Amino acid sequence: MLVLIPQLLTQAEVAYCRERLEAAPWIDGKATAGQQSAKAKFNLQVPQDSPECRELGELVLRALGRNALFATAALPLKVFPPLFNRYDEGMTFRAHVDNAIRPVPGTGQRIRTDVSSTLFLSPPDSYDGGELVIHDTYGRHEVKPEAGDMVVYPATSLHSVNPVTRGSRWASFFWTQSMVKEDATRALLYDMDMGIIALRRDLPDDHPGVLAMTAAYHNLLRHFVEM
């Protein structure tokens, strides 16, 4: 399930992120790549223990906390602290699958990476190439949204970043352990919740159909949730 979350960050927040990242140190993106991904990854990254990464990561986490669409799509249990990367001219990330388990720095804990997220921080007209490409059973899906928009997709997906041929593409990326492990089940629950939201726009909350659908959704959620 591929979901676009528009304007997760306000334009003021995007501008602040850009300002802080301008002054941040950048290292080889292979620093956080697994053995297979390191062979495919050609980009730069802000060190995850840097003050800039920690501060801006908290900003992104606050934005996630106020976004109902992210909650519906990811059903988050744990969120990995957001990281920040950039692709300058000639940089790319060839097709790969994210590591299934990620240790959370400084905690001794690990999360299962069910959902991947990419939050775009560069206007699409400021660079050429750099599309996020999701490969699934329905083919290739190329995504290049506005700055402040975020894309959520299954971490089980083969995905890549097209080579940047002009400019620079900046983004935040992170993973979520969902309360619902299977993507197909999350997709069904997402569709059902979106349907309930649409019904509630046209019908009163106490309408029998709205009540029945809402009850069914929450009872299904109880059945599938792992905590």
Side-chain angles (χ1 to χ4, degrees):
M1 179 177 66
L2 174 64
V3 177
L4 174 65
I5 299 177
Q7 295 302 290
L8 179 80
L9 297 186
T10 66
Q11 290 307 297
E13 288 172 324
V14 171
Y16 182 74
C17 287
R18 297 277 307 186
E19 179 184 347
R20 295 289 286 130
L21 293 174
E22 288 280 2
W26 293 90
I27 61 174
D28 193 322
K30 290 180 172 60
T32 56
Q35 185 176 4
Q36 178 264 333
S37 295
K39 299 175 182 178
K41 188 176 186 181
F42 303 92
N43 66 3
L44 299 173
Q45 187 172 306
V46 176
Q48 57 186 328
D49 60 350
S50 68
E52 294 87 356
C53 190
R54 290 195 296 267
E55 178 195 356
L56 298 182
E58 288 295 327
L59 184 152
V60 173
L61 290 174
R62 289 194 297 272
L64 295 177
R66 67 181 185 240
N67 191 279
L69 186 55
F70 173 75
T72 295
L75 295 170
L77 178 62
K78 301 175 184 177
V79 178
F80 190 89
L83 301 172
F84 298 85
N85 63 17
R86 65 186 284 179
Y87 293 79
D88 295 335
E89 289 185 24
M91 294 183 179
T92 186
F93 201 159
R94 296 196 292 263
H96 64 285
V97 173
D98 293 332
N99 289 353
I101 304 295
R102 287 271 176 179
V104 180
T107 67
Q109 299 178 350
R110 297 179 296 173
I111 73 164
R112 186 184 65 231
T113 58
D114 299 321
V115 179
S116 295
S117 298
T118 299
L119 168 60
F120 288 76
L121 298 173
S122 298
D125 60 0
S126 69
Y127 62 100
D128 292 334
E131 296 87 357
L132 173 65
V133 184
I134 313 297
H135 310 250
D136 63 19
T137 54
Y138 301 102
R140 289 166 47 97
H141 308 277
E142 295 194 357
V143 185
K144 188 178 178 179
E146 296 293 332
D149 292 356
M150 186 172 76
V151 178
V152 173
Y153 54 99
T156 53
S157 301
L158 195 67
H159 56 283
S160 58
V161 176
N162 284 339
V164 171
T165 58
R166 177 188 65 88
S168 185
R169 172 220 201 247
W170 296 19
S172 176
F173 65 102
F174 57 91
W175 301 271
T176 301
Q177 179 171 332
S178 177
M179 293 183 289
V180 176
K181 180 179 179 180
E182 297 295 331
D183 176 60
T185 305
R186 286 197 307 274
L188 287 171
L189 289 166
Y190 173 81
D191 288 343
M192 190 172 186
D193 200 15
M194 290 296 99
I196 292 169
I197 291 171
L199 281 176
R200 294 178 67 183
R201 282 197 293 263
D202 299 327
L203 299 171
D205 286 349
D206 60 353
H207 187 280
V210 174
L211 292 173
M213 290 293 290
T214 303
Y217 172 82
H218 285 285
N219 287 330
L220 284 171
L221 199 57
R222 287 188 184 93
H223 177 75
F224 289 113
V225 158
E226 300 174 11
M227 298 183 69

